[in-house]
Amino acid sequence: MKPPFEQALGIIQQLKRHGYEAYFVGGAVRDLLIGRAIGDVDIATSALPEEVMRLFPKTIDVGSKHGTVVVVHEGTAYEVTTFRTDGDYEDHRRPESVTFVRSLEEDLKRRDFTMNAIAMDEHGTIIDPFGGQEAIERRLICTVGAADERFREDALRMMRAVRFVSQLGFALAEDTKRAIVQNAPLMAHISVERMTMEMEKLLAGPFVAEALPLLADTGLSAYLPGLAEKEPLLRSAAAFRWLWLAEREERWALLCRALDVKDIRPFLRAWKLPNKVIDEAGAILAALDDVPRPEAWTNEQLFLAGLKRALSVEAVRAALIGAPPERHHEELRRRFASLPIKTRGELAVNGKDVIRWAGKPAGPWVKETLDAIWRAVVSGEVENEKERIYAWLMERNRTHEKNC
């Protein structure tokens, strides 16, 4: 497969053949200079959206009003955006209007941080009018122009700045940090969904230990769901081994435990997380409380949790106590593999069998009976064979009737 920029080069060349300027811009150029893996490649051009759509056979109008068209080239989608300047930001989030321009520098001037305001032409020549390369070399997050103005335009940029600390390990420039402290209350204008997107990226970053205390130090935490007055706990949360967590549910579970959240469902709902994530994070924490040590898993607990959740529980436990989870993960995999059944669906009998054997109408007793059967199978009390389960169940019923 071609390298990302080479794969997208045909778009640049097509635009230039028709007399337009076109450059690679944004995060992909930044990551190239840093030496990180390159994600989405974006292109900025002097061509207007309708001109872009005329030049390429397959395009998607995702926001031509604001200058952005998706061009599908060799099976890959690329955002191609017209050079533009932004109007007033009356809601501290999005410009009320945009003006298309023919100047690359004017377009770069509207961007958030200098490291993101770098362009590259088709020959690999870097265009850097605002000192983004110097900021990268100094490992600093600096705004393009006055930090106070950039954050008043779009308050989410403050959260993005701290998120970049987590992702890149850069520090906030002093004027950038000072402006975040001064403008933190503007986060009240930002939707929870936008905050959550940034928070999830922050929690997954390799330098999350540097970023979490910044949420407290800058005052941003006071305007994030459920984090007001949690500043000391946010700072201490930096000590946990976040990098050992691979799943978003694990990270939210650890955050709840780190912040000493007693009732996690309202806390996670406030972040507007999907119910599936909320349920799984809650199940991880419940199992963490039910199983006091990695060696304490019973077969029944392991069966009920399933291997994936059990591994998540031990990953969160490891992150909390600072003991690598690998040994316990290996043991859990071995034990789970040795279980006679891994799911209820593997049970050799079903509800129809139980009803036929009992000779009475269906009711809640059927589920109760099936639960007793799988527990007996998982514990090794009876083999997972229909005849043996029938004999075990008949004996169990006789014993119950005798005791009654």
Side-chain angles (χ1 to χ4, degrees):
M1 188 174 180
K2 296 178 182 177
F5 290 111
E6 184 180 338
Q7 190 175 349
L9 190 57
I11 298 176
I12 299 270
Q13 293 170 335
Q14 174 75 340
L15 288 163
K16 295 203 74 174
R17 272 195 296 270
H18 287 80
Y20 302 108
E21 292 183 51
Y23 302 88
F24 299 114
V25 293
V29 179
R30 176 200 67 221
D31 290 342
L32 175 68
L33 295 173
I34 292 173
R36 295 177 79 218
I38 295 167
D40 294 336
V41 173
D42 295 331
I43 293 167
T45 180
S46 61
L48 297 174
E50 57 268 25
E51 294 169 331
V52 173
M53 288 188 280
R54 280 200 300 268
L55 287 179
F56 297 95
K58 190 169 183 180
T59 62
I60 306 168
D61 186 346
V62 295
S64 59
K65 179 182 176 182
H66 291 91
T68 301
V69 172
V70 166
V71 174
V72 181
H73 176 68
E74 295 183 355
T76 301
Y78 299 91
E79 284 194 1
V80 178
T81 303
T82 303
F83 299 156
R84 72 189 198 202
T85 59
D86 295 336
D88 293 334
Y89 287 72
E90 294 184 5
D91 62 355
H92 303 287
R93 178 64 190 104
R94 294 190 181 280
E96 292 297 307
S97 62
V98 299
T99 302
F100 299 139
V101 296
R102 299 292 187 178
S103 165
L104 172 65
E105 185 167 334
E106 284 298 310
D107 182 79
L108 296 177
K109 186 188 293 185
R110 71 179 175 80
R111 296 174 184 265
D112 51 7
F113 306 111
T114 58
M115 64 183 181
N116 295 333
I118 305 172
M120 183 175 73
D121 69 13
E122 74 272 26
H123 304 298
T125 302
I126 297 296
I127 299 95
D128 179 19
F130 303 107
Q133 291 176 99
E134 181 185 355
I136 289 172
E137 289 169 6
R138 296 175 63 194
R139 300 179 66 80
L140 284 177
I141 297 169
C142 313
T143 58
V144 177
D148 187 73
E149 184 178 341
R150 293 289 81 77
F151 296 145
R152 285 185 175 276
E153 287 173 347
D154 182 355
L156 188 64
R157 287 171 173 164
M158 296 184 286
M159 190 76 178
R160 280 169 55 82
V162 180
R163 184 253 287 181
F164 280 126
V165 170
S166 179
Q167 290 183 318
L168 304 178
F170 289 12
L172 297 177
E174 281 304 314
D175 63 329
T176 300
K177 184 175 181 180
R178 189 163 52 248
I180 292 176
V181 172
Q182 292 169 350
N183 291 285
L186 295 179
M187 286 296 294
H189 295 275
I190 301 301
S191 71
V192 172
E193 291 86 353
R194 293 285 184 177
M195 295 181 192
T196 300
M197 287 177 63
E198 296 298 328
M199 189 65 171
E200 292 207 299
K201 292 176 184 177
L202 185 157
L203 293 176
F207 301 96
V208 61
E210 284 81 0
L212 283 173
L214 276 176
L215 292 178
D217 296 343
T218 58
L220 288 175
S221 57
Y223 303 93
L224 299 176
L227 300 193
E229 301 181 2
K230 295 282 189 180
E231 289 80 7
L233 292 173
L234 270 174
R235 294 186 182 98
S236 62
F240 299 130
R241 303 299 183 90
W242 294 86
L243 299 189
W244 291 349
L245 306 181
E247 305 292 337
R248 66 192 295 207
E249 296 87 353
E250 296 169 2
R251 290 187 278 269
W252 284 107
L254 179 57
L255 185 67
C256 288
R257 189 53 54 95
L259 299 181
D260 194 28
V261 177
K262 302 300 183 186
D263 192 350
I264 73 160
R265 296 194 72 83
F267 174 79
L268 296 178
R269 282 198 196 102
W271 285 93
K272 296 193 176 179
L273 291 167
N275 286 333
K276 183 179 178 181
V277 174
I278 295 173
D279 291 343
E280 187 59 25
I284 289 169
L285 289 175
L288 192 64
D289 291 332
D290 291 341
V291 183
R293 301 178 311 283
E295 302 83 5
W297 285 91
T298 65
N299 281 359
E300 182 177 320
Q301 287 171 324
L302 189 53
F303 175 84
L304 282 171
L307 182 60
K308 185 177 185 296
R309 182 179 297 160
L311 295 176
S312 289
V313 170
E314 292 310 321
V316 173
R317 192 196 313 275
L320 285 164
I321 66 177
E326 286 79 8
R327 178 171 63 85
H328 300 303
H329 278 186
E330 184 179 342
E331 176 62 15
L332 282 176
R333 288 190 180 95
R334 184 195 65 76
R335 285 191 53 196
F336 190 80
S338 71
L339 291 177
I341 57 172
K342 313 298 188 295
T343 67
R344 289 176 172 86
E346 295 178 9
L347 204 59
V349 301
N350 56 36
K352 291 181 179 179
D353 296 319
V354 170
I355 292 169
R356 187 175 70 254
W357 293 341
K360 61 181 183 179
W365 66 271
V366 175
K367 181 181 182 304
E368 294 168 3
T369 303
L370 288 172
D371 285 345
I373 293 171
W374 73 250
R375 285 187 169 89
V377 170
V378 167
S379 68
E381 188 177 344
V382 62
E383 291 183 43
N384 187 36
E385 296 177 3
K386 184 174 287 190
E387 295 78 7
R388 293 182 182 273
I389 291 172
Y390 173 78
W392 174 86
L393 188 59
M394 294 303 103
E395 179 60 28
R396 174 179 177 269
N397 290 343
R398 281 193 295 269
T399 302
H400 177 73
E401 290 170 0
K402 185 186 299 183
N403 292 335
C404 289

